Amino acid sequence: MSEMVRKAQLSDAERICEIIIYGWRTAYIDFLGEEALYKDMSVVKRHKTLCSTLEADHGFYVYEENGIVKGFMRLEKCTEEIEGEDVGELVAIYVEPYFKGHGIGSKLIKEAEKIAASQSQSEIRLWVLENNHSSRKFYEKNGFAATDQVKWLEKFGQNEVRYAKRVLGVSINNE
C-alpha cells in the first residue's frame, strides 16, 4: 500500500471539491438544509475558485493512498496574534466520508503539526461548530482542547468554538 501526504496540485482540484461538497452534505444537513447543500453548492462552482487558489501559494495538502486522494487539509498562518508567537490555522480538514475511521484525519493532523513546527509555529488553532460533536471528539482525541473563544455563525444558526493545540519541538519565548 502506497500512502503519503503531499502538497496539493492543480490536478487535485476536482477531487478536493468532491470531498468538500460530499463532506458538507453529510456533516451539515441538520444545520444548513437541502436547499443550501444541494441547490446552492456544486463541484463546478467550487472548482473555479479552488483552481485559482491552487495556482497561487497555498496551504492545501492531500492524503493520497494508492493514487486516490482520500482527504485533504488546509493549513495557513493564523491572523490572530499571540504575543511573540507564530500560530497556524487549520482552516479545513476533510476526509471522504466513506474513508472515515481509517486514521486518515489523524495522519493529516500529524502532518499539520510537522509543517507548523517547520514554520516555527508554536500552536495550531481551528474553529468547529459547537454542535458538531463527532468533529469535536476527533480533535480532542488528536490533542486539541477547546479554548474560551466562541463566535456566532449566522449561516449555521449556532456557535463555533475555537480549539488549539501546542506544537511540540518549537521553543516559545526563550523556553
Side-chain angles (χ1 to χ4, degrees):
M1 175 172 61
S2 164
E3 65 178 50
M4 71 175 97
V5 177
R6 61 171 173 77
K7 189 96 171 181
Q9 303 166 357
L10 189 57
S11 59
D12 298 316
E14 187 174 326
R15 182 69 183 120
I16 291 170
C17 289
E18 289 174 349
I19 294 169
I20 291 171
I21 300 300
Y22 191 56
W24 272 61
R25 287 177 177 166
T26 56
Y28 301 129
I29 189 68
D30 294 334
F31 307 116
L32 291 179
E34 290 180 358
E35 184 171 336
L37 293 172
Y38 290 92
K39 186 177 179 185
D40 298 340
M41 291 183 76
S42 76
V43 170
V44 173
K45 288 179 185 178
R46 283 259 180 179
H47 190 264
K48 184 176 182 181
T49 305
L50 184 60
C51 283
S52 61
T53 301
L54 292 178
E55 288 174 336
D57 188 26
H58 62 83
F60 278 91
Y61 295 83
V62 296
Y63 172 87
E64 182 180 293
E65 185 177 323
N66 298 326
I68 299 168
V69 172
K70 295 183 175 183
F72 76 92
M73 69 173 175
R74 185 174 189 185
L75 183 67
E76 298 179 346
K77 183 174 177 157
C78 187
T79 56
E80 297 171 351
E81 296 278 327
I82 295 182
E83 286 185 40
E85 297 181 40
D86 282 334
V87 177
E89 175 89 22
L90 192 57
V91 177
I93 182 168
Y94 289 87
V95 174
E96 175 76 37
Y98 179 78
F99 299 115
K100 282 188 174 181
H102 295 133
I104 295 168
S106 295
K107 290 175 184 175
L108 287 166
I109 294 280
K110 284 182 184 20
E111 189 66 25
E113 292 173 24
K114 288 179 194 172
I115 294 164
S118 75
Q119 297 173 358
S120 298
Q121 295 172 339
S122 60
E123 187 174 274
I124 298 174
R125 297 179 177 183
L126 59 90
W127 289 102
V128 62
L129 290 176
E130 187 173 48
N131 290 331
N132 188 343
H133 301 292
S134 63
S135 290
R136 292 181 71 174
K137 184 177 176 182
F138 165 76
Y139 293 127
E140 290 164 5
K141 180 183 131 198
N142 281 279
F144 285 83
T147 69
D148 60 356
Q149 289 182 279
V150 176
K151 67 179 177 181
W152 178 255
L153 286 183
E154 191 66 39
K155 178 179 185 176
F156 291 93
Q158 68 172 281
N159 286 324
E160 206 172 27
V161 178
R162 170 66 91 188
Y163 272 67
K165 179 179 184 177
R166 298 303 284 181
V167 175
L168 300 177
V170 177
S171 67
I172 302 159
N173 299 331
N174 300 321
E175 287 181 11

